[in-house]
Amino acid sequence: METRILTSLAIVVLALGRAQTHQPVYEYQPVYGAYHQPSYYPELSYHPEPAYYPEPVYHPQPSYHPQPSYHPQPKYHEPGAVPACAGNTTKPWCLEDQEYPMYEIRQAAEYHYEKVLSLYADVADLNTEFSVERPDTLEEETYLCPSETAYVRPLRAKNTEGKWRVVVNNIDVHYDTLTQTARIEECLASEKACPLVPECYDSKCLQKSIYHRFLVYDPYDQYFPFAVETFKLPAACACLLGAYTIDH
């Protein structure tokens, strides 16, 4: 009887031990510093690309500066040297010049406008169209020596010192046009006997000249490239008579 009771108590104790062994134990361990996203915010399923701006593409500029095609660069010669336009004429002036520095003269005249006007006032051209009247026909009178008269505006000319200079002509500056006109008269038969003069007289046609003052441009003067210089131009054709001789 006692043995059965002991056996039953052992079974009960063993069952309680097993029950206590399989009973789960719950413990609360707080984690500090951790953030748990609430369940009501859905997790993002994509990753947006960051916004950026592309680097600009630079095109390198050429290291040279081409000259404009509409304005050729003038060719400067040595001071007083014979220009290229003088090769087409035997006269000491040029009425046409492919190398005439018109653009440079205009720029310098605009920069020194007041000084240029003061010089130009002394040499400003006058209306010399009818300064010398000649007969329209040869019925009444004629000149002893034939000549040719013209009114010219030289672009280059040789001064009294024998040096070629650039003459300021046809230059537009501040709504003004700078021009310089000269009347010339050239003998057509220089050093020849005068027509209509008896042979008993020793005669010959002689070229007369006069001095003109022109406003010139000097590209080598960096301070004030303008000056007034003197030029010798033909002005008349005269007949020179010698001694009277009687031949028998």
Side-chain angles (χ1 to χ4, degrees), residues 16-225:
L16 293 175
R18 291 180 178 178
Q20 293 178 356
T21 303
H22 293 283
Q23 184 178 1
V25 178
Y26 298 95
E27 295 181 358
Y28 174 73
Q29 296 180 356
V31 180
Y32 298 98
Y35 172 77
H36 299 279
Q37 186 177 4
S39 59
Y40 52 85
Y41 289 108
E43 186 177 357
L44 296 177
S45 61
Y46 66 95
H47 300 282
E49 295 293 333
Y52 65 94
Y53 299 94
E55 292 292 334
V57 179
Y58 297 99
H59 300 281
Q61 297 295 328
S63 58
Y64 64 93
H65 300 281
Q67 295 294 333
S69 58
Y70 56 86
H71 178 71
Q73 187 71 15
K75 298 179 181 179
Y76 295 117
H77 305 276
E78 293 296 329
V82 179
C85 65
N88 301 326
T89 180
T90 57
K91 300 177 181 180
W93 65 83
C94 293
L95 301 182
E96 296 181 359
D97 186 9
Q98 298 296 331
E99 301 177 354
Y100 189 72
M102 179 174 293
Y103 178 79
E104 286 73 13
I105 297 176
R106 184 183 298 114
Q107 292 292 336
E110 290 179 354
Y111 185 78
H112 303 282
Y113 181 66
E114 295 182 358
K115 292 183 179 180
V116 171
L117 283 187
S118 63
L119 293 178
Y120 180 72
D122 296 334
V123 296
D125 60 326
L126 303 176
N127 186 7
T128 57
E129 184 177 358
F130 302 104
S131 60
V132 176
E133 296 183 357
R134 302 186 63 175
D136 297 333
T137 62
L138 301 180
E139 297 178 356
E140 298 179 0
E141 59 178 339
T142 183
Y143 286 92
L144 293 178
C145 292
S147 62
E148 183 178 3
T149 304
Y151 297 89
V152 298
R153 291 179 178 178
L155 299 180
R156 293 182 191 261
K158 185 187 296 185
N159 62 9
T160 54
E161 297 180 357
K163 298 180 181 180
W164 283 87
R165 298 299 188 191
V166 178
V167 182
V168 178
N169 240 324
N170 305 323
I171 302 298
D172 297 330
V173 182
H174 291 183
Y175 304 101
D176 293 329
T177 302
L178 306 183
T179 58
Q180 300 182 92
T181 304
R183 178 192 178 277
I184 61 174
E185 182 179 346
E186 298 178 278
C187 288
L188 299 179
S190 181
E191 300 296 329
K192 294 183 179 181
C194 301
L196 306 179
V197 175
E199 296 181 356
C200 58
Y201 289 95
D202 182 17
S203 65
K204 65 177 179 180
C205 295
L206 184 65
Q207 179 69 63
K208 293 289 186 176
S209 300
I210 193 173
Y211 292 96
H212 287 264
R213 299 169 68 244
F214 287 143
L215 176 65
V216 299
Y217 169 75
D218 185 5
Y220 296 94
D221 193 339
Q222 299 180 358
Y223 297 99
F224 185 66

